Amino acid sequence: MSKNILEADFLNKMREIINYMWEKGWDERNGGNVSYRLTEKEVKDYVDTEKIKEKFELEAAIPGLAGEFFLVTGSGKYFMNVSKKPENNLGIIKINQDGSGYSLHWGYENGGQPTSELAAHLLSHQARMQVTDNQNRVVMHTHATNLIALTYVLELNSKTFTRKLWEMSTECLVVFPEGVGILPWLVPGTEKIGEKTAELMKKHPIVIWPFHGVFGTGKSLDEAFGLIDTAEKAADILVKVNSMGGANKGITDQEFKDLAARFGVEPMAGVLE
Ligand code: 13P
Ligand code: ZN
């Protein structure tokens, strides 16, 4: 631990991406939260991991994440302030050896704790680590405007939502062939919404919370942001198309199949005829 954390690549990437989210208009006030799984080596270059600022218990233990480090946004912290004052708005936590709690090693300088959606983040990390051979490092929750708007008009099931988004932009099938998962409306900030989100994360890299927002995942901050940005762009187009009276043409099932074959992806079962 000798280097200045304000020069760490992982911290600066987090600041940059959170700024993009804010500029997109997705993260009003403290809306949204991001967690980034770091390696012990990355953290140790900048933080004394022997020093514990505070300890917290988890509502339910997550032994699968024992010993893992996460850079995570603080609860109630405004996205517009993260880049200017990362030390107040972000924290680095380590899950303890039995997964029953975690320790804070850096951040939340003016007080605070990780996001109220920590259960959804940690359980989603665990699920995605299992299905991506440990590749997945980022979970991102945001209040993407058009995806939320669509939850008021589209049928709330995964197949309908996936098909509608795929239809709005040719790249969608290639970027998220596994489709989007949809939960029923649930109270946010609870263990239950965390468990339900993680269950869907075993099948989909992106999960929508109706009338609230979206959870996206990826190997990197770029990938998680890019995934949500792609789905949100398709949602934006669908809102415009619906506002113009609805589509009168589009990509056919055969064309979707040709697209999947060209890019070597397996479309989510049951979406195409
Ligand atoms: P936090 O400020 O606790 O991260 O909550 C924001 C949010 O989007 C809840 O769903
Ligand atoms: Zn939210």
Side-chain angles (χ1 to χ4, degrees):
M1 186 217 125
S2 53
K3 301 189 200 162
N4 178 359
I5 193 165
L6 296 178
E7 286 163 15
D9 286 348
F10 64 76
L11 190 78
N12 286 317
K13 191 71 201 180
M14 187 86 156
R15 292 161 81 178
E16 181 192 0
I17 292 287
I18 284 179
N19 235 17
Y20 289 149
M21 296 169 77
W22 158 248
E23 282 169 1
K24 285 269 183 192
W26 298 346
D27 297 283
E28 72 292 339
R29 230 185 83 116
N30 64 311
N33 23 77
V34 183
S35 60
Y36 181 7
R37 185 164 60 93
L38 303 172
T39 64
E40 184 161 12
K41 184 179 176 322
E42 272 174 314
V43 178
K44 277 196 162 157
D45 279 349
Y46 302 96
V47 176
D48 181 356
T49 55
E50 300 300 316
K51 253 206 202 137
I52 293 176
K53 289 179 68 160
E54 207 173 338
K55 281 187 176 179
F56 300 85
E57 291 299 306
L58 285 168
E59 207 176 307
I62 313 177
L65 294 183
E68 297 286 353
F69 287 89
F70 295 92
L71 174 64
V72 55
T73 51
S75 187
K77 307 288 187 181
Y78 287 30
F79 267 45
M80 65 183 180
N81 295 332
V82 171
S83 190
K84 279 176 277 183
K85 284 268 175 207
E87 66 278 19
N88 287 351
N89 298 294
L90 301 173
I92 294 178
I93 61 168
K94 181 186 184 185
I95 309 297
N96 66 18
Q97 285 317 308
D98 59 4
S100 63
Y102 59 90
S103 43
L104 176 66
H105 295 271
W106 175 86
Y108 312 140
E109 295 265 307
N110 59 349
Q113 61 184 63
T115 171
S116 58
E117 306 295 0
L118 191 65
H121 280 259
L122 295 180
L123 292 168
S124 294
H125 274 286
Q126 178 172 253
R128 295 303 297 174
M129 282 162 73
Q130 284 164 7
V131 298
T132 66
D133 194 22
N134 260 7
Q135 297 283 307
N136 211 123
R137 295 202 162 267
V138 174
V139 174
M140 183 178 283
H141 166 56
T142 185
H143 297 170
T145 317
N146 293 286
L147 285 169
I148 298 172
L150 288 182
T151 64
Y152 291 91
V153 296
L154 293 184
E155 217 185 296
L156 295 179
N157 77 63
S158 173
K159 282 179 192 165
T160 305
F161 233 91
T162 297
R163 172 86 194 202
K164 288 285 179 193
L165 293 179
W166 283 358
E167 281 174 357
M168 288 304 113
S169 189
T170 297
E171 69 169 337
C172 283
L173 170 71
V174 180
V175 175
F176 51 94
E178 309 93 334
V180 297
I182 312 272
L183 283 184
W185 186 89
L186 292 168
V187 178
T190 59
E191 195 66 25
K192 181 172 176 190
I193 202 169
E195 284 167 9
K196 296 282 176 197
T197 304
E199 234 171 81
L200 289 181
M201 284 286 180
K202 288 192 179 151
K203 286 194 270 181
H204 313 279
I206 180 165
V207 172
I208 291 171
W209 287 5
F211 328 134
H212 181 149
V214 58
F215 267 75
T217 61
K219 290 195 287 286
S220 61
L221 285 160
D222 281 352
E223 198 177 78
F225 177 83
L227 171 62
I228 295 175
D229 199 19
T230 304
E232 170 62 10
K233 171 82 179 272
D236 190 0
I237 296 169
L238 184 51
V239 168
K240 287 188 168 72
V241 169
N242 284 350
S243 310
M244 292 186 289
N248 56 33
K249 59 186 78 66
I251 308 166
T252 65
D253 281 82
Q254 188 53 52
E255 287 167 341
F256 275 127
K257 287 176 190 166
D258 295 345
L259 180 65
R262 162 64 182 86
F263 288 93
V265 295
E266 181 68 42
M268 176 185 158
V271 178
L272 302 178
E273 295 285 314

